[in-house]
Amino acid sequence: MSDIFCRDCNMLTEVVFDHSAGHTICSECGLVLESRSVDKTSEWRSFADESNGNDLNRVGGPVNPILAHGGLSTVIAGPSNGASSNALPSSVGRWQSRASKPDRHLLNIFSAIGIMADRLGLVTTIKDRANEIYKKVEDQRPLRGRNQDAVVAACLYIACRQENKPRTVKEICSAVSGASKKEIGRAKEFIWKHLEVEIGQEIGTIHAGDYLRRFCSILGMKNLEVKAAQETVQKSEDLVIRRSPISVAAAVIYIITQLSDDKRTFKDISLATRVAEGTIKNSYKDLYPHLPRLIPYWFAKEEDVKNLCN
């Protein structure tokens, strides 16, 4: 019950909702204040064939444009225990199973993509993009005989690149149990080859800054240190350093931590970024001559920067 203004009583009165008729009735004078109102609450009714069914749903699943007919095809339930003699024969269910096999395969792939994305902590937009990429490749060239785990991982890798949330191949590989880094690389090249026109225009260049904030978060760095690392990485893009963006990001994080109170070792950085210690050291050596103009003046003194180990 709630209070609504009644024009007959000329005051706020408590009302009663008649859900069966859709009426809102004044509890004082009995006037119908509103008729045929829509009940927006959940409809807890069972539409299952069995009388004791637990299918408390108003509608089916959402439209999925990737699936045939938008994923809104009819599903014929098989005969249940205690069903009447005029129930549909079991052969109808078998024919339906054969007809819906392509969609069932896609649903299994989409489920695998979802599980892998959850392990990596990826958002829904990346999952949907990976689903679209797989469907496009499947339509152009059947993927029979290929390692499906590697193909799924490659679709996720490309989807992350397209959504500007890149993940390293090592990170993708850590979420897959049935594919190696080499197999994922081959699958990635296969997809790029067949979708070069569509994918090539949407994938930009990877920068060290794309990985930096996530790596800093894994290490639990402070906001001031993260800001200094971002500014350092941004300045380093003007230099000609023949190192991968991931290794540059790892080296910058090491430098910033050495200039802060919470110092980290090469091993700590390597575990967080999945970059080999030797690679981080080599990137550090390449950046070392340029540190005086890379490190923000507000973060560290010039003397402290010069005292860093060469």
Side-chain angles (χ1 to χ4, degrees):
M1 300 177 77
S2 61
D3 294 340
I4 295 181
F5 183 82
C6 177
R7 58 180 178 272
D8 279 10
C9 300
N10 200 24
M11 63 178 183
L12 289 173
T13 61
E14 290 187 347
V15 295
V16 179
F17 297 101
D18 184 354
H19 296 287
S20 60
H23 294 334
T24 303
I25 306 169
C26 176
S27 61
E28 297 292 336
C29 63
L31 177 68
V32 177
L33 302 176
E34 186 178 352
S35 61
R36 297 182 180 179
S37 58
V38 178
D39 183 9
K40 297 181 180 180
T41 59
S42 300
E43 185 176 6
W44 297 115
R45 294 168 55 193
S46 174
F47 293 92
D49 295 334
E50 300 84 354
S51 58
N52 61 344
N54 295 320
D55 183 22
L56 304 178
N57 295 318
R58 184 190 295 266
V59 295
V63 176
N64 190 340
I66 301 177
L67 301 176
H69 309 295
L72 299 179
S73 56
T74 303
V75 178
I76 303 174
S80 57
N81 295 331
S84 59
S85 57
N86 60 351
L88 291 173
S90 58
S91 59
V92 176
R94 287 198 302 270
W95 282 108
Q96 175 188 248
S97 177
R98 294 173 186 174
S100 60
K101 189 173 182 181
D103 274 2
R104 191 170 61 211
H105 168 69
L106 283 177
L107 288 173
N108 291 335
I109 293 296
F110 296 166
S111 175
I113 290 175
I115 293 172
M116 197 179 300
D118 290 339
R119 290 175 183 170
L120 294 167
L122 303 177
V123 295
T124 305
T125 53
I126 295 178
K127 297 180 190 178
D128 295 340
R129 182 59 67 95
N131 292 343
E132 293 175 8
I133 293 171
Y134 184 90
K135 182 65 166 59
K136 289 177 181 178
V137 179
E138 178 75 15
D139 290 343
Q140 288 192 13
R141 188 180 183 89
L143 297 173
R144 291 180 181 178
R146 292 191 171 272
N147 188 332
Q148 292 297 318
D149 289 334
V151 174
V152 167
C155 289
L156 268 178
Y157 175 85
I158 296 173
C160 290
R161 290 279 303 272
Q162 289 182 327
E163 294 296 326
N164 295 322
K165 301 291 182 183
R167 292 293 189 273
T168 64
V169 178
K170 286 185 178 180
E171 288 178 299
I172 298 291
C173 190
S174 66
V176 187
S177 57
S180 63
K181 181 180 175 181
K182 195 172 184 178
E183 289 175 318
I184 296 174
R186 289 175 180 172
K188 181 185 66 175
E189 295 299 327
F190 173 81
I191 294 173
W192 256 326
K193 179 181 178 181
H194 290 88
L195 298 181
E196 184 177 2
V197 176
E198 299 178 30
I199 294 179
Q201 298 175 350
E202 300 179 19
I203 293 183
T205 306
I206 296 180
H207 301 281
D210 297 333
Y211 301 100
L212 189 72
R213 179 171 287 276
R214 185 159 48 85
F215 291 160
C216 292
S217 176
I218 295 173
L219 289 165
M221 295 172 62
K222 299 176 182 177
N223 291 334
L224 198 65
E225 297 170 353
V226 175
K227 184 179 178 181
Q230 288 178 319
E231 190 171 330
T232 304
V233 162
Q234 190 173 3
K235 292 179 179 178
S236 69
E237 292 180 356
D238 297 332
L239 304 176
V240 180
I241 299 177
R242 300 184 181 278
R243 299 289 175 182
S244 68
I246 305 170
S247 60
V248 171
V252 167
I253 291 174
Y254 174 78
I255 293 167
I256 294 299
T257 57
Q258 295 304 305
L259 294 171
S260 66
D261 297 332
D262 187 14
K263 293 178 171 54
R264 304 298 179 96
T265 63
F266 283 114
K267 185 176 182 181
D268 295 333
I269 309 298
S270 176
L271 291 174
T273 61
R274 298 180 184 272
V275 179
E277 292 183 41
T279 304
I280 300 175
K281 291 178 182 179
N282 291 332
S283 299
Y284 173 78
K285 290 177 182 178
D286 292 342
L287 290 172
Y288 183 82
H290 310 282
L291 291 184
R293 61 192 181 96
L294 291 180
I295 304 299
Y297 68 91
W298 51 264
F299 182 74
K301 297 179 180 179
E302 188 175 352
E303 295 178 2
D304 295 335
V305 176
K306 290 181 179 179
N307 291 333
L308 285 174
C309 179
N310 184 2

